[in-house]
């Protein structure tokens, strides 16, 4: 009999309990024994819940109960999730979590503790919601050197961008709807400012490159500065604006254990890319392996049941592991393999105001050589927009500074990524 405890009875925790009981028979067939949720830890009362008899407010009920060998963490945030998960692992209980903040900040340490205690620390639900990506990256693609990962990793921002473009909703209306649907974080600034995507690309990069990548070392920009004009220019260029988390092995030093550059930013993505058509709450994650070439994972990246699906899959895997440690691995690191993002080679879309368009074009050509000029309907006479050639981001910024010095006012710049 697998007896489990669920910590946190919000959107994901309650979804996990529901999925376990809705699919109990098939889950039991898969693990070969009965399964039961013995405790649900939450500080709130849920008197009308069919699972009210399982509720406790005391973490020690779970920690001290030897019958509990799998703990599902769906509380979110670092505290007290970190202490609780660590205590469970040290007590010989496997932990399954959807908490990307926890995995991105403490993954290396918790993986090590799990391994030392011969238990499992699984987190399929921490990236991509219902999209399988952690296990495929770790297992099915294990033969590959991963050269690059790029993805639309946040369902809320993708939902907002889609609603703003397709249904002309305002940012606030689209965000309110995402919150109502259970997509957004409790503090949605983590979504719109890019921190949620940052945590997720850190988890994927750590797994792909074997060394922990910490979120504070990754340049992160959200979607709050994207304007309707930028979206129009993206369409006229032949693509869409998407919030992308990406990490790339640079092989700068010519070694296989490569340096890595990573970033989260809004980006122009060509309509030819599979990521351009990832809309709504969907996530799309492209993994570029040396043997496979590109592999793309796609599905619902947020929401109660998609995320619960990944949580329960982890529970099933832990139960099937039958007391052995199948733990995923990466090691802690001093971050010396991370390259300054200004060295990344890319292009940028630039929108600017100028006094005289012909003069501005000459200045742009002097700085950048040939650029792709863009147009949009009802463009004001003094507005100019273009896409630069590909070069190191730092170099592009130096040229943009010269445009400013030459009298142009830069209204927006957005990276152009080639996926
Ligand atoms: N707020 C997150 C998102 C939830 O929108 O993607 C899933 O991690």
């Amino acid at each position: 009999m697998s007896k489990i405890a669920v910590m946190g009875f919000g959107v994901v925790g309650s979804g996990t309990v529901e999925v376990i009981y809705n699919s109990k028979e098939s889950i039991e067939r898969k693990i070969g024994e009965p399964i039961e949720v013995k405790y649900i830890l939450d500080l709130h009362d849920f008197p009308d819940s069919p699972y009210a008899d399982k509720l406790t407010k005391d973490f020690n009920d779970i920690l001290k109960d030897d019958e509990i060998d799998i703990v599902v963490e769906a509380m979110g945030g670092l505290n007290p999730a970190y202490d609780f998960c660590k205590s469970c692992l040290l007590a010989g209980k496997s932990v399954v979590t959807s908490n990307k903040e926890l995995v991105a900040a403490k993954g290396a340490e918790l993986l090590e503790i799990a391994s030392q205690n011969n238990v499992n620390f699984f987190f399929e639900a921490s990236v991509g919601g219902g999209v399988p990506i952690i296990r495929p990256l770790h297992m099915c693609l294990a033969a590959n050197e991963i050269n690059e990962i790029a993805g639309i990793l946040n369902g809320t921002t993708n939902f907002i961008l889609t609603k703003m473009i397709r249904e002309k909703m305002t940012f606030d209306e689209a965000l309110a709807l995402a919150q109502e649907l259970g997509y957004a974080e409790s503090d949605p600034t983590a979504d719109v400012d890019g921190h949620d995507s940052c945590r997720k690309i850190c988890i994927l990069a750590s797994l792909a490159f074997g060394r922990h990548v910490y979120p504070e070392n990754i340049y992160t920009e959200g979607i709050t500065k994207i304007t309707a004009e930028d979206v129009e220019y993206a369409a006229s260029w032949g693509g869409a604006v998407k919030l992308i988390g990406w990490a790339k092995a640079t092989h700068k030093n010519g070694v296989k254990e490569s340096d890595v550059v990573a970033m989260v930013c809004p980006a122009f993505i060509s309509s030819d890319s599979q990521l351009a058509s990832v809309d709504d709450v969907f996530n799309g994650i492209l993994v570029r392996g040396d043997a496979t070439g590109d592999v793309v994972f796609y599905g619902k990246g947020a929401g109660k049941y998609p995320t619960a699906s990944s949580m329960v899959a982890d529970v099933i895997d832990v139960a099937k592991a039958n007391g052995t440690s199948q733990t995923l691995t990466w090691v802690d690191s001093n971050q010396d393999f991370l390259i300054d993002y200004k060295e990344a080679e890319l292009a940028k879309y630039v929108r600017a105001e100028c006094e005289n368009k012909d003069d501005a074009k000459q200045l742009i050509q002097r700085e950048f050589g040939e650029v792709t000029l863009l147009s949009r309907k009802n463009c004001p006479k003094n507005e100019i927009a273009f896409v630069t050639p590909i070069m190191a981001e730092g170099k592009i910024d130096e040229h943009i500074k010269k445009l400013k010095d030459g009298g142009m006012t830069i209204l927006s710049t957005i990276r152009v990524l080639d996926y």
Side-chain angles (χ1 to χ4, degrees):
M1 160 81 90
S2 283
K3 293 207 175 179
I4 73 171
V6 175
M7 304 195 294
F9 201 49
V11 174
V12 176
S14 62
T16 302
V17 175
E18 278 179 50
V19 169
I20 287 175
Y21 281 100
N22 290 345
S23 307
K24 197 165 183 292
E25 226 173 89
S26 91
I27 292 171
E28 289 178 343
R29 184 165 34 81
K30 282 164 197 155
I31 63 180
E33 60 178 19
I35 186 166
E36 187 199 317
V37 176
K38 187 167 177 185
Y39 301 107
I40 297 168
L41 177 73
D42 204 292
L43 292 178
H44 299 95
D45 293 313
F46 298 89
D48 300 330
S49 164
Y51 309 107
D53 60 320
K54 300 176 188 300
L55 278 150
T56 175
K57 292 185 166 63
D58 186 357
F59 170 62
N60 283 313
D61 285 347
I62 296 169
L63 188 64
K64 303 235 162 93
D65 188 332
D66 289 340
E67 277 192 336
I68 298 293
D69 49 13
I70 307 173
V71 179
V72 174
E73 188 273 305
M75 294 183 291
L78 266 189
N79 296 307
Y82 167 58
D83 285 338
F84 285 5
C85 290
K86 189 171 167 177
S87 302
C88 289
L89 294 170
L90 286 167
K93 301 176 192 301
S94 289
V95 171
V96 167
T97 183
S98 56
N99 189 335
K100 46 266 158 131
E101 194 174 349
L102 174 71
V103 182
K106 304 286 182 187
E109 181 191 349
L110 295 175
L111 284 167
E112 174 65 18
I113 294 174
S115 159
Q116 280 170 4
N117 288 275
N118 200 35
V119 289
N120 290 296
F121 179 59
F122 284 170
F123 41 86
E124 185 62 63
S126 68
V127 182
V131 184
I133 179 64
I134 300 290
R135 209 168 267 95
L137 191 55
H138 177 67
M139 299 176 81
C140 315
L141 296 173
N144 290 261
E145 293 295 333
I146 304 298
N147 290 322
E148 208 158 339
I149 302 175
I152 294 167
L153 300 170
N154 183 268
T156 301
T157 44
N158 207 41
F159 180 84
I160 292 172
L161 288 171
T162 307
K163 293 288 171 196
M164 286 173 70
I165 295 164
R166 287 224 199 117
E167 295 172 32
K168 306 290 173 225
M169 274 190 190
T170 66
F171 181 93
D172 290 339
E173 284 167 349
L175 173 59
L177 188 54
Q179 287 177 296
E180 200 180 308
L181 292 168
Y183 300 157
E185 297 302 295
S186 50
D187 174 3
T189 52
D191 296 296
V192 298
D193 286 346
H195 301 300
D196 181 75
S197 295
C198 176
R199 290 164 188 150
K200 291 168 176 168
I201 196 65
C202 285
I203 295 170
L204 296 180
S206 302
L207 201 53
F209 303 117
R211 288 165 287 177
H212 197 120
V213 177
Y214 287 97
E216 53 273 26
N217 299 311
I218 301 303
Y219 175 81
T220 299
E221 194 181 310
I223 61 164
T224 49
K225 290 191 211 138
I226 304 295
T227 65
E229 289 82 3
D230 299 327
V231 168
E232 269 184 65
Y233 277 120
S236 87
W237 169 78
V241 183
K242 296 286 180 191
L243 183 66
I244 304 287
W246 60 273
K248 184 174 182 170
T250 63
H251 300 294
K252 207 176 155 213
N253 300 324
V255 288
K256 275 277 184 189
E257 280 262 297
S258 174
D259 295 328
V260 170
V261 61
M263 188 189 295
V264 172
C265 62
F268 276 26
I269 297 290
S270 160
S271 325
D272 296 339
S273 160
Q274 295 192 66
L275 296 182
S277 54
V278 176
D279 285 331
D280 218 296
V281 72
F282 286 84
N283 281 189
I285 304 164
L286 179 150
V287 180
R288 199 159 274 172
D290 66 344
T292 55
D294 290 358
V295 184
V296 179
F297 300 85
Y298 172 81
K300 282 194 177 157
K304 183 172 183 168
Y305 297 113
T307 312
S309 157
S310 293
M311 288 285 238
V312 177
D314 274 353
V315 168
I316 293 171
D317 262 14
V318 174
K320 278 168 41 182
N322 211 5
T324 61
S325 173
Q326 314 279 313
T327 293
L328 316 164
T329 47
W330 66 68
V331 294
D332 209 352
S333 93
N334 62 7
Q335 311 291 280
D336 62 353
F337 64 106
L338 293 177
I339 301 232
D340 182 356
Y341 74 92
K342 294 267 181 191
E343 289 185 33
E345 299 268 330
L346 42 74
K348 268 188 182 175
Y349 146 86
V350 180
R351 181 166 68 94
E353 262 174 14
C354 57
E355 278 186 10
N356 177 305
K357 256 191 185 171
D358 289 331
D359 291 348
K361 279 182 193 165
Q362 278 183 16
L363 179 57
I364 290 165
Q365 195 176 25
R366 262 206 311 280
E367 288 305 321
F368 287 107
E370 281 308 309
V371 298
T372 309
L373 287 167
L374 303 179
S375 60
R376 70 177 175 101
K377 252 196 226 159
N378 306 322
C379 168
K381 277 208 170 76
N382 62 347
E383 183 178 274
I384 191 158
F386 62 96
V387 172
T388 72
I390 294 174
M391 59 183 86
E393 167 150 4
K395 282 268 169 263
I396 295 181
D397 291 350
E398 281 170 24
H399 290 304
I400 290 177
K401 184 172 176 304
K402 298 244 178 73
L403 300 186
K404 282 188 205 161
D405 295 344
M408 291 173 66
T409 304
I410 306 300
L411 301 173
S412 43
T413 63
I414 299 178
R415 293 170 184 83
V416 178
L417 299 178
D418 184 21
Y419 288 112

